[in-house]
Amino acid sequence: MAEIKPIRALRYTEKAGALETCVCPPYDIVNEAEYAALCGENPHNLIRLELPTGGEDRYENAGKLLTEWLESGVLTQDETPGIYLYREAFTVGGKQYAFDGLVCLVGLRPFSDRVVLPHEETLSKAKEDRFRLMCATGCNFSSIYSLYRDEKGDIREVVRASQALPVLAEFTDGEGVTHTLRKIEDEKTVAFLVNAFADKQLFIADGHHRYETALRYRDTVCPDATHVLMTLVDLEDDGLVVLPTHRLITGLTVEKDVLAEKASAFFTATEYPDVTKAEEVLNAHKDKHAYALYTGGEGFTLLVGTEKADQLTVEGRSEAYARLDVTVLHTLLLEQVLGIDKENMARQQNLRYTRSAEEAVESVRKGESTAAFLLNPTRIEEIRAVAVAGDKMPQKSTYFYPKLKTGLVMNRL
């Protein structure tokens, strides 16, 4: 099954400046303003390598910049291999959480081998971008985020004991997330972990594009690039938090009464006076397919699935896929009622996404969107069920929070 091994990591040195000013969020959630702010704070911020600029020359520029940083000592490779212990501690909704991940190298296997399992569809444009960057730099700058099951709890015990190891780096970022990095170097402990993962399946939580890109790189460019950088997190870790990704409708007229009538066979509609309470109301209905529809004003419409919605089947897809809130929303409301087909969804035609309920409501109020559908988050067990069934979720079905920082531990291919 899963083959893991320790890594001689590529990491920042003191020459780069304070580590918290060098690391960055995942490239795909960084907008232009954030990019400028990151570069302005520290010219050695990794966003310059992970999301290079300069038109068609941008990938070549990233390769040259990496060489400069290696030659000047801004980045250096560890002398000894190890498995890194990475903790993120944070607060959501007034509650404190923390999860631990093991950062290591994982052997590349095609999804058909059912060792590393995906749960989400990918986009070809994003994969081409990542492939060209990998070819130009020969690096994994950011870690793929994957989950595993630890039925015996053996790995959990090693993680707990390893909290006593010296801290290599620790800082709190602008979102209030505290990042702590330690290194497991003891050969017996490393060997134990390698053996413990030998019978595990891994479920990709975040980084599907990067994993598929790594497979392509190995198969077409460098046969020796047999492993990819991953952070492995226990599926039962109490610190795992998945946030919802809400849907915004654009370019289509949405009248809530008309929509409720057309969808009445599958949903009951109830009016609520205060849209600021929408997430609270949704949480109270999390055992149902429930959505808060907002089209303007102070209130919202709660749509709750009937038994008929619970019995939805999707041709060619698993039962686990058909039971997802996003599947029911896309199939019964977006496709059948609003007429947004799968192709338009994939192209984000008439459909946009946000993880902020406040941003969704504000978009409608400003006239940028005609309607917003607020959702409950996808549950961890649903993600695993879809992956085990050999299926994939619709795009933007999950948002694991917080994201792993890019630049703490990197892998030179």
Side-chain angles (χ1 to χ4, degrees), residues 189-364:
T189 305
V190 169
F192 178 87
L193 289 173
V194 169
N195 184 63
F197 275 97
D199 65 348
K200 303 294 183 200
Q201 284 182 308
L202 305 179
F203 307 92
I204 297 179
D206 202 357
H208 291 79
H209 294 91
R210 282 167 279 156
Y211 188 82
E212 291 185 33
T213 297
L215 284 170
R216 179 185 173 192
Y217 183 82
R218 180 201 65 184
D219 294 341
T220 63
V221 177
C222 182
D224 293 334
T226 56
H227 291 68
V228 69
L229 183 66
M230 270 197 195
T231 298
L232 307 176
V233 179
D234 186 349
L235 194 64
E236 306 297 327
D237 196 310
D238 292 336
L240 283 176
V241 172
V242 181
L243 299 180
T245 302
H246 309 298
R247 271 58 177 164
L248 295 168
I249 307 302
T250 61
L252 293 175
T253 300
V254 180
E255 297 180 22
K256 62 179 181 179
D257 294 337
V258 174
L259 183 146
E261 176 61 29
K262 288 183 177 180
S264 59
F266 297 99
F267 297 92
T268 61
T270 307
E271 295 297 320
Y272 283 81
D274 186 359
V275 72
T276 65
K277 302 292 185 182
E279 289 180 296
E280 180 182 327
V281 172
L282 281 173
N283 186 61
H285 293 79
K286 61 186 177 184
D287 58 335
K288 299 283 188 180
H289 297 300
Y291 315 94
L293 168 65
Y294 179 71
T295 56
E298 297 302 316
F300 68 97
T301 304
L302 180 70
L303 300 169
V304 178
T306 63
E307 185 176 344
K308 196 170 181 180
D310 294 337
Q311 295 171 348
L312 174 69
T313 58
V314 181
E315 185 178 356
R317 308 307 290 257
S318 64
E319 182 179 347
Y321 176 92
R323 294 291 171 268
L324 296 169
D325 280 352
V326 288
T327 300
V328 172
L329 172 69
H330 284 195
T331 304
L332 299 180
L333 290 172
L334 301 192
E335 287 189 57
Q336 294 189 19
V337 174
L338 295 180
I340 306 174
D341 61 26
K342 289 182 175 63
E343 186 177 339
N344 279 357
M345 288 185 203
R347 299 201 315 259
Q348 296 190 30
Q349 185 76 28
N350 304 124
L351 182 64
R352 294 194 301 112
Y353 306 92
T354 177
R355 67 182 178 93
S356 166
E358 292 80 8
E359 184 178 301
V361 169
E362 190 63 22
S363 178
V364 175

Side-chain angles (χ1 to χ4, degrees), residues 157-216:
E157 287 301 318
V158 172
V159 168
R160 187 177 295 116
S162 298
Q163 300 294 343
L165 292 171
V167 173
L168 295 183
E170 188 169 56
F171 61 89
T172 301
D173 65 24
E175 290 187 333
V177 181
T178 299
H179 305 263
T180 307
L181 190 69
R182 296 177 170 89
K183 186 178 181 182
I184 301 170
E185 294 181 274
D186 176 70
E187 291 184 2
K188 288 185 179 180
T189 305
V190 169
F192 178 87
L193 289 173
V194 169
N195 184 63
F197 275 97
D199 65 348
K200 303 294 183 200
Q201 284 182 308
L202 305 179
F203 307 92
I204 297 179
D206 202 357
H208 291 79
H209 294 91
R210 282 167 279 156
Y211 188 82
E212 291 185 33
T213 297
L215 284 170
R216 179 185 173 192

